[in-house]
Amino acid sequence: MRRRLGTATFPFHRHAIPQAMADGTLVAVSYYLAYRLRFDAGVPVRYQELFDATWWWAVITGIVVFGTFRMYQRWWRYTGQRDYLAIAQAVVVATLALAALVALFDPVTVRSGAGIIGISIPNGVLALHFLMTLLFVGGARFLARTIHERPLHGFRAKRDARRVLIVGAGDGGRLVLREIIRNPELGLDPAGFVDDDSRLHGTRVDGVKVLGDTQHDLPRILDEVEPDEVTIAIPSAPGTMRARVVRLCRERGIPVRTLPTVFELLRGGGNVVRQVREVQVEDVLGREPVVMNIDQVGAYLGGEVVMVTGAGGSIGSELCRQIARVGPRKLILIDHAEDNLFRIQRELEDDRHVHPSVLATVLADCKEGERMREVFARHRPTVVFHAAAYKHVGLMELNPVEAVRNNAIATRLMAQIAGEAEVKRFVLVSTDKAVSPATVMGASKALAEFAVEAAGKRWAGTRYASVRFGNVLGSSGSVVPIFRRQIALGGPVTVTDERMTRYFMTIPEAVQLIIRSGSLGTGGEIFVLEMGEPVSILQLAKDMIELSGLEPGRDIAIEVVGRRPGEKLDEDLFNPFESIVPTEAEKIRRAERETLHPDTVEAMFDEIQLLVLEGDAAGLAAKVAELSAVHVPNGFQPSTEAGAGRSE
């Protein structure tokens, strides 16, 4: 970190000294020319004396005012639109300050009939000084940026440079183009843009022509231009568009890469072109990405003491990353897996520069009531995100006692301790497998939802909520990493049923919606994330094989192995007895249902806790399935929309 040579009111760094000297020279030249242009027949003696006495006033005033407006906090080459506005404001203030100083201290006086009077700067000189200072100071920065972005000698690609067609002529595409021009060593030569905005067709963006759109013109453009590769430079591009580009390029043997998503760009840094990566299955799922301003939706977490359980898991770790961005007073990371907890702690401190004093890493198990009460008493969290859970369906079928103990009983315990500790908000991370559960894992999460609803009635001072959603890409429980591993091993890729579909969402998308849902809860509501359209698992397997540069059936076999016990063809997001209610938040709906009485929920948990203590795995599996299915509110009439039980 560079040493700061000033204070917060006058930010100044060592690298700014040459900039201040250059600005001082430009202000002096501007002040000199203002007098010469105003008095083209020769500067009168008294005004020449005024210039000689005050030119250094103009220089010092300009530098001080420019520094106060934070003009020396960045290199000239990075000057942007907001900086030019600050320059204009600073020049106005500097000009007025100079005039005020001269009027106040009267550096030059003359004797007249009224006595001794001070000589003021003529209005014409002030106006010319303002205009030329604005021109010189702003122009110097504009010139520096222009030279940096497009060298004076012009861009010349290497002879062996790869011709790249850029999809997207917006900010992302221009960013890619600028990096290519700035860094000839990348060995890339921009062949043109492709953009769906018809107003850009035939025009040039930063000197490169927009050749057409992706819907109708792309096949012709690929055949005519014959690029060596195609780069998709639209971070928020929908999966349908990415899939279309990938398909057309694959037919011609042209490799396709993509600019990282908005979330990846926020995580990364440095040269954007070097962040361009191969297209992954997440990019072509065909659903519109969910993008929210996390600083806005997570503002309620600022200054709070936030606890995340399961902090080392896929959802928990992303919760920690995004929560750390909104400035909590303290972030408590809880996990019983030592390696996962250490990994997220190091990432937050080393990669994301979260100060160690903000973090509290606690190695603990949410199933242990005494230990968790100690943690709550010591750290006094005000917001809790309970993401700790077992999620592998098949494994939980083999270990029902641990599944229920960790997913259901531990959730009830955490919700109870949160209420007793007067936590402001408690958010349970649930799953679509809790809807009409057919497995132990799903039933255990359904019971967890019942526990949170009951806690919402019992402890009115805490705002409880559950957030239900489908599969997240890249999580440890997702099918995607399984397919990737099978493809890497040469196959076969195993699909349980050709008709099977699932909902998918990326981890960052799901987490930002979880955080948003946390601000909506008031008394145990269940919020459901809109997951888009369900995806065919068979088609997903084929897409992943093709994205690996292989052909399904020829290079990698796909085997249908049959459904596991309790595995459903389609997952639903709403129970048949639940009504779908919109919320004020985009992409979030509420599952409205008649809640069970807290005493009924207590009786349910008493039964299953006894079976857990006895270690009766078979009896427990049967009992949780029975309880989650039987305890459907009587007399509750779902709306017509809820009958579909599915996200639109």
Side-chain angles (χ1 to χ4, degrees), residues 31 42 161 201 208 216 235 239 248 294 329 361 384 457 477 498 517 618:
Y31 196 52
H201 296 170
V208 176
H216 307 101
L248 292 171
I294 188 61
R329 180 155 53 94
T361 49
V384 176
K457 287 189 173 183
E498 294 178 344
S517 300

Side-chain angles (χ1 to χ4, degrees), residues 157-168:
K158 296 181 178 180
R159 287 186 177 182
D160 58 346
R162 295 172 58 81
R163 286 169 55 79
V164 56
L165 182 67
I166 304 173
V167 178

Side-chain angles (χ1 to χ4, degrees), residues 302-362:
E304 299 288 349
V305 179
V306 184
M307 172 186 287
V308 179
T309 68
S314 51
I315 295 293
S317 60
E318 184 63 24
L319 272 168
C320 295
R321 296 183 192 105
Q322 295 197 27
I323 292 171
R325 287 180 51 196
V326 299
R329 180 155 53 94
K330 179 175 282 190
L331 181 56
I332 308 166
L333 284 59
I334 295 184
D335 206 300
H336 73 279
E338 175 191 15
D339 290 344
N340 291 345
L341 187 61
F342 178 77
R343 190 178 300 114
I344 186 61
Q345 178 195 20
R346 297 316 316 163
E347 179 186 336
L348 292 174
E349 292 184 3
D350 298 342
D351 300 345
R352 302 181 185 278
H353 310 295
V354 179
H355 197 277
S357 63
V358 176
L359 297 179
T361 49
V362 179

Side-chain angles (χ1 to χ4, degrees), residues 146-191:
T146 301
I147 293 174
H148 176 68
E149 293 188 353
R150 189 180 294 273
L152 290 176
H153 56 76
F155 174 73
R156 295 181 184 275
K158 296 181 178 180
R159 287 186 177 182
D160 58 346
R162 295 172 58 81
R163 286 169 55 79
V164 56
L165 182 67
I166 304 173
V167 178
D171 292 338
R174 295 176 63 189
L175 191 62
V176 170
L177 177 62
R178 284 199 295 268
E179 291 293 342
I180 292 174
I181 292 174
R182 288 175 185 171
N183 303 280
E185 68 274 8
L186 292 172
L188 298 174
D189 181 14

